[in-house]
Structures are given as structure tokens and as C-alpha cells.
Amino acid sequence: MTDNLDNVLLIALADGALDKFIVGEPFYFQEAKRDTDEPQNVSAAFNLLVLDYWTKTKDKTFPGELVTAMLIVLKTYPDKNRAIYAVSDWIWLYHDCLAQKRLNPNGKYRELFEMDTDVVAGMLKQELEVNKAELITDTRWGGASWNSKQGLWEPLMRLASWVRDKLEGPNFVPNNL
């Protein structure tokens, strides 16, 4: 674990700004080379920072802090679509890592923490239902025309279905498909 100013997770934890880390606000954004623009590079943030922090500290409060931060983002973040998109990505990645842990118990994710994401998924499902029209017209990130005909809605539906059907994760597929 890096104890310097490059570790935005440690800074977010010290600042009480884990919610800002979740959505990748400037300063709490994890940089990495990618071909596409994203609000937070969740894969890099998780693998380089979250997993490393957990492996080295085993901070028992940390999984709950992540859940709380995701709930805060969904409840209060001013850019609802960014909040929904980022939290969906975190839920997907976490459950993908859990699936990898089950497939390879001695692999990279062997020490992955347990985190109950059901309450987050429930709130996420509600936010998806309420914000459907705005998500359909939002062409940022994965909602760009090269990836979707319905803005952020289409990739979010693919992700929600994948988490539910392939990763055995919580169901946040909206009822108003």
C-alpha cells in the first residue's frame, strides 16, 4: 500500500470523502490509461487501491464504509446519472471479483472481503427506474453512440443483467425495462 499523495483511497479515507472516491471526483480519481472516458477507473481503483488496502489492513469497518459511501452517492450526488453509473460499475466489479475468488480460491482475490451489497442494489434499482428517461438521453461514458443506442440505459441494463444472471449477485434490474 502506498502511503504517499498518489494513493487517492487513503486520502479519501482520511478526508471522509469515500463517496467522492466512488464517483471519481477530481483529486479522488484513479488515473489509468484507457481508451474511453469514465467517471472513475473502477477496475484500477479496486485492484490497485481497495484490494491492496484490504489485504494490508484487514480493516473490518472498510466493507461497511464502502457500502455507506455508495448509498450516500445514490442519495445525494448532484449528477444522478454519474452516481448510478459509477455505483453500478462498483457493484459489477465487486461481484466479478467474488466470482473469480470462487473459481480460483488461491488466486488474486483469495482474501477478498465479504460485503453485503443488497441494500445498495435495492436503492440502485429504484434510481434506475426513476431516472430512466434521463439515462436514455445521456451519451457520456458507456452511453456513447459507439456503445449504445439508448445512452447510459443500454449498458446499465447489460451490466445489471450480467450481475444478476452470470455473477449471482444482487438484482438491480429495473421493473420498467
Side-chain angles (χ1 to χ4, degrees):
M1 182 171 52
T2 312
D3 287 326
N4 62 29
L5 293 178
D6 292 336
N7 191 322
V8 294
L9 173 61
L10 293 180
I11 296 166
L13 287 168
D15 292 350
L18 199 51
D19 56 324
K20 293 176 182 173
F21 173 75
I22 294 293
V23 293
E25 274 195 16
F27 191 74
Y28 301 105
F29 180 74
Q30 175 60 40
E31 292 289 343
K33 291 187 180 204
R34 296 198 51 157
D35 292 341
T36 58
D37 184 34
E38 293 290 328
Q40 175 61 295
N41 186 337
V42 173
S43 294
F46 190 87
N47 287 307
L48 298 175
L49 302 176
V50 170
L51 192 59
D52 187 60
Y53 176 78
W54 171 257
T55 302
K56 292 193 169 116
T57 69
K58 298 293 192 274
D59 177 357
K60 300 289 186 205
T61 65
F62 185 62
E65 289 177 46
L66 283 173
V67 167
T68 298
M70 286 186 251
L71 292 171
I72 288 169
V73 165
L74 290 172
K75 286 179 190 172
T76 67
Y77 199 72
D79 183 343
K80 279 292 185 188
N81 291 356
R82 181 180 181 139
I84 291 165
Y85 189 78
V87 170
S88 295
D89 213 11
W90 281 99
I91 296 294
W92 163 77
L93 184 66
Y94 174 72
H95 286 281
D96 184 61
C97 294
L98 277 181
Q100 291 180 50
K101 178 182 177 177
R102 286 190 298 270
L103 288 171
N104 185 4
N106 296 318
K108 177 179 183 175
Y109 300 107
R110 68 186 168 279
E111 295 184 49
L112 182 62
F113 51 87
E114 293 294 322
M115 179 170 69
D116 185 354
T117 58
D118 287 348
V119 68
V120 176
M123 182 178 285
L124 185 55
K125 183 176 184 172
Q126 289 176 323
E127 291 298 327
L128 284 162
E129 291 171 354
V130 169
N131 295 286
K132 179 179 180 177
E134 292 82 7
L135 290 163
I136 288 172
T137 61
D138 195 336
T139 58
R140 296 177 290 174
W141 315 302
S145 62
W146 62 266
N147 191 48
S148 173
K149 293 178 182 158
Q150 290 189 302
L152 291 174
W153 183 256
E154 188 178 324
L156 285 167
M157 291 309 94
R158 286 191 304 256
L159 197 70
S161 296
W162 186 263
V163 169
R164 180 193 64 193
D165 301 339
K166 303 292 184 189
L167 300 177
E168 301 173 15
N171 181 7
F172 56 95
V173 176
N175 294 327
N176 60 342
L177 287 174

